[in-house]
Amino acid sequence: MELATRAFDEIVAEQHIVSGVSERLPEIADRGYHSYWRQILRLAALCHDIGHLPFSHAAESLLPDGKKHEFLTKLLIESDEMMALWKGFQINPRPEDIVKLALGPKEYPEGKFSDWEVILSEIITGDALGTDRMDYLLRDAYHTGVTYGRFDHLRLLQGLRVVLKPSEDGSEVSPSLGIEEGALAGAESLLVARQFMYTQVYHHHVRLAYNLHLEDFLREWLPGGKFEMTAEGHLALTDNEVLAGMAKSLREGGPGSGAADRILNRKHFKRIHRFSHVEQAAGGVTLLEAAEAKLKEKFGAANVRSNRKEVKGGRSEFPVLRGNGEITSSLKISKILPNLPSEVLEDLLVEPSIRDSALAFLQESLKDRAPITPLFPSFQS
């Protein structure tokens, strides 16, 4: 909420309104209009992630009917309890406006967004310049004790501008959130930080192993193996309830006790190899799939797991306002962003007791297809 407020104040500051924008987007220059939308933006930023499940994204696959946590965010914002809260605000906020800015057009496609609402939602949810991303990178870097996620967020916020972005064929322009050229280094460092946080923290193989065990536990422990899609059910289940449920299941041999044992007593599956990119085998089967099948045949399906995660590169495109007034693409002016790679990280994990024998078998069985280099097995955690 703090970062989104700073971003709003920057883009509507009179001295920061780019020539021609107020004609195309009159809301940006309407001072009377700002007080309402500034508060809506603050409320939307505050509520943006209230739909997150216990342990955040880790077990989102257990939401029913392919729903995402944004469904729960909308459900809560429009709930009777929250509606009563909104009515107590002097600005009389429309819940629909809060939902729009909190979710954005991508996660709320049924909403009808004006250009102004698209820009305000992008302040929170934007892929390249969104304050949600700024916040979680800085916060997660701090709490995990690493420095990968740090960047000059204040300089980046100071450089936010609404500009008229030309279409690909140059036939028309549309208002879009961008930055002035002087803040480009801040945007580059954010996207580099994101790249490193994903490869070094979010997709760390031990963390991903615990994701699998958490899903295993919840699939057995939750009624019907799925999260409840009601406001009451969502609010009643936090990290604490899940951890208490694990302890009880482990103690009493209840649902999910095996997975609870792996989590609480740190008996997680061990990685024996990470394939850094997808390699195709006969019939379109990846090397990971072929290796996993052989290991399951040899050691049993229950003792072998795999993880496949994609790290999207920092090739996020956004408009940049140059010193001469020209609007250009970030990918054209930056030497860094076009070269941030996308990659697929594929892990093979096995039950700890068979790690050494599984690695030896993997090397032998696939030696004619591709080299398998041990990932420092004596140092594996």
Side-chain angles (χ1 to χ4, degrees):
M1 182 178 71
E2 164 65 15
L3 298 181
T5 305
R6 286 173 179 260
F8 181 89
D9 291 344
E10 288 292 339
I11 68 168
V12 302
E14 188 173 351
Q15 67 271 26
H16 293 162
I17 298 178
V18 178
S19 175
V21 170
S22 58
E23 287 78 12
R24 182 66 174 77
L25 190 71
E27 296 95 331
I28 198 170
D30 188 340
R31 301 292 126 185
Y33 209 57
H34 291 170
S35 60
Y36 175 80
W37 284 105
R38 188 177 189 270
Q39 293 302 316
I40 293 296
L41 181 71
R42 286 169 61 81
L43 293 172
L46 192 62
C47 293
H48 171 68
D49 278 332
I50 59 176
H52 268 309
L53 303 168
F55 301 100
S56 192
H57 293 283
E60 199 160 304
S61 63
L62 299 182
L63 284 171
D65 305 324
K67 286 186 169 60
K68 301 169 74 173
H69 76 267
E70 285 84 2
F71 174 87
L72 290 166
T73 298
K74 181 176 183 294
L75 192 69
L76 289 173
I77 291 173
E78 297 177 343
S79 66
D80 291 341
E81 291 82 358
M82 297 288 273
M83 291 293 282
L85 182 66
W86 306 139
K87 290 178 181 178
F89 277 79
Q90 190 173 13
I91 63 166
N92 193 25
R94 295 184 293 271
E96 170 77 359
D97 292 339
I98 300 172
V99 170
K100 284 182 181 180
L101 302 198
L103 301 188
K106 181 179 178 181
E107 300 297 342
Y108 187 37
E110 61 270 34
K112 296 181 179 179
F113 287 75
S114 66
D115 288 341
W116 174 247
E117 291 166 341
V118 169
I119 288 172
L120 294 187
S121 69
E122 192 174 352
I123 286 177
I124 300 173
T125 67
D127 184 57
L129 305 173
T131 52
D132 174 52
R133 172 172 292 180
M134 296 182 199
D135 179 80
Y136 76 67
L137 289 174
L138 294 167
R139 188 183 305 275
D140 293 345
Y142 175 82
H143 284 287
T144 54
V146 302
T147 58
Y148 299 113
R150 296 175 62 182
F151 57 97
D152 191 353
H153 64 287
L154 295 178
R155 179 64 185 93
L156 178 54
L157 287 168
Q158 290 168 358
L160 289 178
R161 301 288 184 270
V162 175
V163 301
L164 294 178
K165 180 182 177 181
S167 60
E168 290 188 5
D169 60 8
S171 61
E172 58 179 343
V173 294
S174 58
S176 179
L177 188 66
I179 59 170
E180 63 171 3
E181 188 172 3
L184 180 60
E188 290 172 331
S189 62
L190 179 150
L191 292 165
V192 169
R194 178 187 182 276
Q195 186 89 5
F196 286 138
M197 285 293 285
Y198 268 89
T199 58
Q200 302 301 311
V201 178
Y202 303 137
H203 290 170
H204 189 279
H205 61 95
V206 175
R207 200 201 71 77
L208 294 179
Y210 278 109
N211 267 22
L212 294 175
H213 299 317
L214 178 65
E215 287 185 15
D216 290 344
F217 171 76
L218 291 171
R219 194 173 287 110
E220 294 186 44
W221 184 73
L222 290 171
K226 297 287 185 180
F227 286 103
E228 186 178 330
M229 299 301 287
T230 65
E232 295 76 13
H234 173 62
L235 295 174
L237 195 62
T238 70
D239 295 9
N240 290 335
E241 280 75 33
V242 173
L243 289 171
M246 284 183 193
K248 182 178 180 181
S249 288
L250 179 58
R251 185 171 59 249
E252 300 177 359
S257 58
D261 182 36
R262 293 200 180 278
I263 295 171
L264 297 179
N265 292 320
R266 297 192 60 82
K267 299 178 181 178
H268 62 87
F269 273 36
K270 307 292 185 177
R271 181 179 67 171
I272 60 171
H273 189 71
R274 166 167 281 184
F275 301 95
S276 60
H277 60 281
V278 177
E279 296 182 58
Q280 295 296 323
V285 177
T286 67
L287 188 56
L288 173 74
E289 292 169 328
E292 184 179 8
K294 285 182 175 291
L295 286 166
K296 285 183 174 179
E297 182 180 352
K298 173 70 174 178
F299 297 100
N303 293 315
V304 181
R305 304 291 289 272
S306 65
N307 251 322
R308 186 179 189 276
K309 296 292 182 180
E310 181 179 0
V311 180
K312 296 179 181 178
R315 291 178 54 83
S316 299
E317 187 171 12
F318 49 88
V320 178
L321 174 64
R322 305 204 66 176
N324 61 2
E326 174 191 357
I327 306 297
T328 189
S329 164
S330 58
L331 298 181
K332 291 182 178 180
I333 192 174
S334 172
K335 296 180 181 180
I336 295 174
L337 297 184
N339 296 305
L340 287 179
S342 294
E343 58 180 323
V344 177
L345 306 175
E346 299 183 320
D347 290 343
L348 271 175
L349 306 101
V350 298
E351 211 286 329
S353 63
I354 67 168
R355 182 177 64 181
D356 292 341
S357 55
L359 177 59
F361 176 79
L362 178 65
Q363 291 174 306
E364 179 64 25
S365 62
L366 296 181
K367 65 181 181 181
D368 296 330
R369 300 180 59 173
I372 301 296
T373 304
L375 290 171
F376 309 108
S378 60
F379 290 93
Q380 295 255 37
S381 58

